[in-house]
Amino acid sequence: MLKSVTVDGRSPEDSRRASLGALLRRVHLAGAVSRARLAESMGLNRSTIMAMTAELAAAGLVREDLPELTGRAGRPSLLVRPASDRAYVLAFDIAVDRLVAARVALGGAVLERREAPRTRAGADLDTVVRVLAEFGRQLHRGASPGSVCVGVGASYCGMIRPGDGMVRFGPDMGWVDQAFGAELGRRLDLDLPVLVGNEAHLGALAEHQRGAGVGVRNLVYLHGDVGVGGGIIVGGELLGGDGGYGSEVGHMLVNPYDGRPCGCGSRGCLEAEVGERALLDAAGRPADRFGREAVREVVDAADRGEAAAREALRIIGDWLGIGVANVINLFNPGMVIFGGMLREVYLGSATQVRERIAANVLPVSRERAHLRISALGDDSTLVGAAELGFSRLFTDPLGTPVGSR
Amino acid sequence: MLKSVTVDGRSPEDSRRASLGALLRRVHLAGAVSRARLAESMGLNRSTIMAMTAELAAAGLVREDLPELTGRAGRPSLLVRPASDRAYVLAFDIAVDRLVAARVALGGAVLERREAPRTRAGADLDTVVRVLAEFGRQLHRGASPGSVCVGVGASYCGMIRPGDGMVRFGPDMGWVDQAFGAELGRRLDLDLPVLVGNEAHLGALAEHQRGAGVGVRNLVYLHGDVGVGGGIIVGGELLGGDGGYGSEVGHMLVNPYDGRPCGCGSRGCLEAEVGERALLDAAGRPADRFGREAVREVVDAADRGEAAAREALRIIGDWLGIGVANVINLFNPGMVIFGGMLREVYLGSATQVRERIAANVLPVSRERAHLRISALGDDSTLVGAAELGFSRLFTDPLGTPVGSR
């Protein structure tokens, strides 16, 4: 009797669903992977893998074919690929300065995208949702007839309540308690929930799954938009905390004396000291200049030797270094990844960041932490939104009727 | 075939061992728990629980008996209790100012203890290990004839390499790369490894398992000794990070301008601003006063209205509040627990700490975090060391020959 016991008390049916989902997710992330490799990485025998891939193939979610000849002896292990023409998600990215939507195939390829700049004037829920829903409909119509939309994910530049996609606090767009996920779902009318996540959380997951942090179990992702967001992976899982609002690196108080005012109402937060406005002000840029291009211009000017731009990056880099040193001491991560606007800022101030790490991080933690820029570039948050959209499929791969169309 | 698959690919034998260990651990933590309750909390049926408790009872690790009559109808569910007279661990606590050793029974009762003040002069590895090993031998000899030592755990005030108990960095005792765990194991000569953990990590685990934080999935434990350590529980697990050196709240840089020098070589770390010496200096106490009693005296003096002591607690409380606000923003915890010397400091400066939280924590995270003092008092680290010592037994309950004596 004891032999059928599992520690967590799951039923065999739950267990089987979870195994199929885990296998499909591996195929989705790997692109093409041999049965032998799947067996090894999942700790299952080949015949079990074969039975599982057969079920997923019957459901229209994977295909199996022979690998190209390698010249090695022995029977080659079949390659399993995601059926990227059968299942897709809609992914949305609501950043401070732009709205992006994309149709993303199982396997992760971005099939088609729409993008619009978001002027700060048009930040109300109704306008944003109207634009996104129209993009969504266009993308949905453009899908090939045999394919099925299996989920919708969205990245938002603010604090999101898990479960229902409520924006609890989005200071950059002036949103408090706006039912964004529910409203977008209603307008899209696809009979699918819209799963919403914080942009830095999703950027972290994307870099962990498909970017600079693949295989790194503990990493800190810092995302620069107008402010600074954080997504922290602890033991392979996103740190959400009790309410899902954890990883808020941007509101770490770093300057307790004469800190700049922050969008949260406080002063001296990391994002107030290293955010877009702090950099542009320090470089003496006028108040009507803002956005990613304005930040890039300062970093370029510093490269060309402009004194004001260099000094601005020196100051901002020192504050950024304090924030990075603190998270390394707290999380002992294998990697810190700079994403969004912070890619440029970090590249322009790496010396200051490294000096702070040398001065303030305990040696035992310093020896592990690699510093990297986002490998997915401006798309890290969009990719994260797509992965969130796929998450339902991996929970119950056979519960989504892909094969029926 | 699919029905026997587990997601993680464990063998039925591994799974069974893990289940038995999980059950024994629940009994150990609960003290006495009905079979019905075990079945419910583990998600297993009663007959499975019965078979498992029978195995553990045969191995001499638990006992089953009828509960006292409750007057309710129906057959009462048997109570399962840890066999506290059969298995024990030796637990050691190496704090800056004292050495403690205890024999702790399965079930968690402290059966016998030894304690010595540790003068700062006698901090070398050899002296410390000699004192502890002598305590250990006395405690071992005092054990009843039918009982077996199943593990050894130690709490140390510094950074510990997981696996071998090497002290990588123990600034308060001037230790760098000292093979403490191996050396204590050699001297004890019990044919058992000495498992060593950082004091704040173990304090956090102890409060999570037996103290103020039972049932709280995300908590931050701050431990004041001479410095400030942190132990952070994320999703029910201790945050160790890549190398096991995570949770180092004490070396978060909070004062970047005129920070006090810190034992780590930097300045302005949280522990430099709120540690024992910062408080005593701020209160104008002479340099030859130190230790827990000196800290308590300042807090008592403030309670009596002494101006210097009150001002000292106001200043230290503000820095402590900054550190607490930052960890709440980062971890969105359900609870922050103040342990060690920080119990007194927090009780004397709760107003300042709460003011900082109100000013610097995002409202969505503020609404969750409860502030508490350690429920285990000065013993949180010792209890954590005992739990560490028991961890081997819970990994493989039948692999330890308790029943053979």
Side-chain angles (χ1 to χ4, degrees):
Chain A
M1 174 188 301
L2 277 180
K3 298 222 165 174
S4 70
V5 168
T6 62
V7 169
D8 50 8
R10 285 191 306 193
S11 74
E13 184 51 36
D14 289 347
S15 202
R16 177 173 156 278
R17 238 197 310 266
S19 294
L20 285 170
L23 193 153
L24 180 59
R25 187 166 173 276
R26 277 167 198 264
V27 174
H28 163 73
L29 291 176
V33 56
S34 71
R35 282 190 195 159
R37 182 77 187 278
L38 285 167
E40 188 192 327
S41 65
M42 294 183 72
L44 299 170
N45 61 45
R46 285 213 201 187
S47 58
T48 303
I49 293 290
M50 193 173 71
M52 290 167 75
T53 54
E55 278 205 81
L56 292 172
L61 292 165
V62 304
R63 288 197 184 85
E64 298 185 275
D65 51 24
L66 281 170
E68 292 176 30
L69 290 175
T70 58
R72 282 192 295 175
R75 195 161 57 108
S77 178
L78 282 184
L79 277 183
V80 187
R81 297 181 199 276
S84 55
D85 55 342
R86 297 296 292 276
Y88 67 89
V89 295
L90 295 181
F92 298 96
D93 184 12
I94 299 88
V96 176
D97 62 348
R98 59 179 193 156
L99 302 174
V100 188
R103 193 172 73 249
V104 179
L106 186 64
V110 176
L111 300 170
E112 192 184 350
R113 62 192 289 161
R114 294 280 186 284
E115 182 165 342
R118 199 181 62 67
T119 58
R120 294 187 190 208
D124 64 293
L125 177 70
D126 193 61
T127 305
V128 168
V129 166
R130 206 175 53 232
V131 172
L132 294 176
E134 179 52 33
F135 281 172
R137 275 188 295 272
Q138 291 170 11
L139 293 166
H140 194 57
R141 277 198 299 269
S144 63
S147 67
V148 173
C149 182
V150 297
V152 183
S155 162
Y156 182 87
C157 51
M159 304 184 85
I160 309 300
R161 184 161 69 199
D164 66 356
M166 169 78 84
V167 173
R168 290 296 311 279
F169 188 56
D172 295 325
M173 289 168 69
W175 290 14
V176 175
D177 291 334
Q178 301 269 315
F180 168 66
E183 195 56 25
L184 180 56
R186 197 179 64 74
R187 295 269 193 116
L188 283 170
D189 197 21
L190 291 169
D191 200 23
L192 286 168
V194 176
L195 304 179
V196 189
N198 166 275
E199 63 178 352
H201 291 190
L202 294 180
L205 287 170
E207 291 292 331
H208 181 58
Q209 287 163 1
R210 296 187 175 275
V214 170
V216 182
R217 283 184 59 76
N218 298 282
L219 68 80
V220 175
Y221 172 78
L222 298 175
H223 186 82
D225 195 330
V226 169
V228 172
I232 300 173
I233 307 281
V234 174
E237 301 283 334
L238 181 73
L239 187 158
D242 247 40
Y245 309 115
S247 296
E248 272 296 338
V249 181
H251 298 283
M252 180 193 287
L253 179 62
V254 290
N255 186 350
Y257 288 113
D258 56 353
R260 291 171 59 93
C262 183
C264 74
S266 182
R267 290 180 157 269
C269 298
L270 181 65
E271 81 165 40
E273 302 298 340
V274 310
E276 180 184 307
R277 199 65 250 158
L279 178 70
L280 295 171
D281 285 353
R285 266 47 175 180
D288 62 352
R289 295 280 293 279
F290 56 82
R292 296 177 199 218
E293 286 315 311
V295 170
R296 283 183 187 135
E297 182 275 322
V298 171
V299 177
D300 288 345
D303 277 344
R304 290 194 310 271
E306 187 201 301
R310 291 173 77 108
E311 176 63 7
L313 280 164
R314 194 192 60 71
I315 295 167
I316 269 62
D318 190 52
W319 289 117
L320 180 59
I322 290 175
V324 171
N326 284 352
V327 292
I328 295 177
N329 277 327
L330 279 168
F331 293 97
N332 186 198
M335 190 176 286
V336 178
I337 302 173
F338 300 91
M341 178 202 89
L342 284 180
R343 281 176 295 156
E344 277 79 28
V345 174
Y346 170 67
L347 290 174
S349 66
T351 307
Q352 283 73 38
V353 173
R354 289 181 186 281
E355 276 175 9
R356 272 293 176 189
I357 290 173
N360 290 97
V361 175
L362 295 164
V364 288
S365 287
R366 204 159 63 211
E367 63 198 23
R368 296 266 181 172
H370 298 92
L371 307 187
R372 295 283 184 275
I373 61 166
S374 156
L376 301 169
D378 281 342
D379 276 352
S380 62
T381 48
L382 184 72
V383 170
E387 295 303 323
L388 184 61
F390 278 114
S391 59
R392 285 175 72 243
L393 182 66
F394 304 141
T395 306
D396 185 9
L398 305 185
T400 308
V402 175
S404 66
R405 278 182 63 167
Chain B
M1 174 189 300
L2 278 178
K3 299 222 165 174
S4 70
V5 168
T6 62
V7 169
D8 52 6
R10 286 191 305 193
S11 73
E13 184 51 35
D14 289 347
S15 200
R16 179 172 155 279
R17 239 197 308 267
S19 294
L20 285 171
L23 194 154
L24 180 58
R25 186 165 173 277
R26 276 167 198 265
V27 174
H28 164 73
L29 291 176
V33 55
S34 71
R35 282 189 194 160
R37 183 75 186 277
L38 285 167
E40 188 192 326
S41 66
M42 295 183 72
L44 299 170
N45 61 44
R46 285 211 201 189
S47 58
T48 305
I49 293 290
M50 193 173 71
M52 291 166 74
T53 53
E55 277 205 81
L56 292 172
L61 291 165
V62 303
R63 287 197 184 85
E64 299 185 275
D65 51 25
L66 281 171
E68 292 177 29
L69 290 175
T70 58
R72 282 192 296 175
R75 196 160 56 108
S77 177
L78 281 183
L79 277 183
V80 187
R81 298 180 198 276
S84 55
D85 55 342
R86 298 296 291 278
Y88 67 88
V89 296
L90 295 181
F92 297 97
D93 184 12
I94 300 88
V96 177
D97 61 349
R98 60 180 192 157
L99 301 174
V100 187
R103 193 171 74 249
V104 179
L106 185 64
V110 175
L111 301 170
E112 191 183 350
R113 62 192 289 159
R114 294 278 186 282
E115 183 165 342
R118 197 181 61 70
T119 57
R120 293 183 193 210
D124 64 293
L125 178 70
D126 193 64
T127 306
V128 168
V129 167
R130 205 173 55 232
V131 172
L132 294 175
E134 179 52 33
F135 282 172
R137 276 189 294 272
Q138 292 170 10
L139 293 166
H140 194 58
R141 277 198 300 269
S144 64
S147 65
V148 173
C149 183
V150 296
V152 184
S155 162
Y156 182 86
C157 51
M159 303 183 86
I160 309 301
R161 184 162 70 198
D164 66 356
M166 169 79 84
V167 173
R168 291 296 311 278
F169 188 56
D172 295 325
M173 289 168 69
W175 289 14
V176 174
D177 290 336
Q178 301 270 316
F180 169 66
E183 195 56 25
L184 180 57
R186 197 179 64 75
R187 295 272 191 114
L188 283 170
D189 197 22
L190 292 169
D191 199 23
L192 286 168
V194 176
L195 304 179
V196 189
N198 165 274
E199 61 177 353
H201 291 190
L202 294 179
L205 287 170
E207 291 292 332
H208 182 58
Q209 288 163 1
R210 296 185 175 276
V214 170
V216 181
R217 283 185 59 76
N218 298 282
L219 69 81
V220 175
Y221 172 79
L222 298 174
H223 186 83
D225 195 330
V226 169
V228 172
I232 300 174
I233 307 281
V234 174
E237 300 285 334
L238 182 72
L239 188 157
D242 246 41
Y245 308 116
S247 298
E248 272 296 336
V249 181
H251 297 284
M252 179 193 289
L253 178 61
V254 290
N255 187 351
Y257 289 113
D258 55 352
R260 291 171 58 94
C262 182
C264 74
S266 181
R267 289 179 158 271
C269 298
L270 182 65
E271 82 165 40
E273 302 298 341
V274 310
E276 178 183 310
R277 198 65 251 157
L279 178 71
L280 296 171
D281 285 353
R285 266 47 175 181
D288 63 353
R289 295 281 292 281
F290 56 84
R292 297 176 199 221
E293 285 315 311
V295 170
R296 284 184 186 136
E297 182 275 320
V298 171
V299 177
D300 288 346
D303 277 344
R304 290 193 311 269
E306 187 200 301
R310 291 174 78 109
E311 176 63 7
L313 279 165
R314 196 191 60 73
I315 295 167
I316 269 61
D318 190 52
W319 289 117
L320 180 59
I322 290 175
V324 171
N326 284 350
V327 293
I328 295 177
N329 277 326
L330 280 167
F331 293 98
N332 186 199
M335 191 176 284
V336 178
I337 303 173
F338 300 91
M341 176 202 91
L342 283 181
R343 280 177 294 157
E344 277 80 27
V345 173
Y346 170 68
L347 290 175
S349 66
T351 306
Q352 282 72 38
V353 173
R354 288 181 187 279
E355 276 175 10
R356 273 293 176 188
I357 290 173
N360 290 97
V361 174
L362 294 165
V364 289
S365 287
R366 203 158 65 210
E367 63 198 23
R368 297 265 181 171
H370 298 92
L371 307 185
R372 295 282 184 276
I373 60 166
S374 156
L376 300 167
D378 281 342
D379 275 352
S380 63
T381 49
L382 184 72
V383 170
E387 295 303 322
L388 184 62
F390 278 114
S391 60
R392 285 175 71 245
L393 182 66
F394 304 141
T395 306
D396 185 9
L398 306 184
T400 308
V402 175
S404 67
R405 278 180 63 166

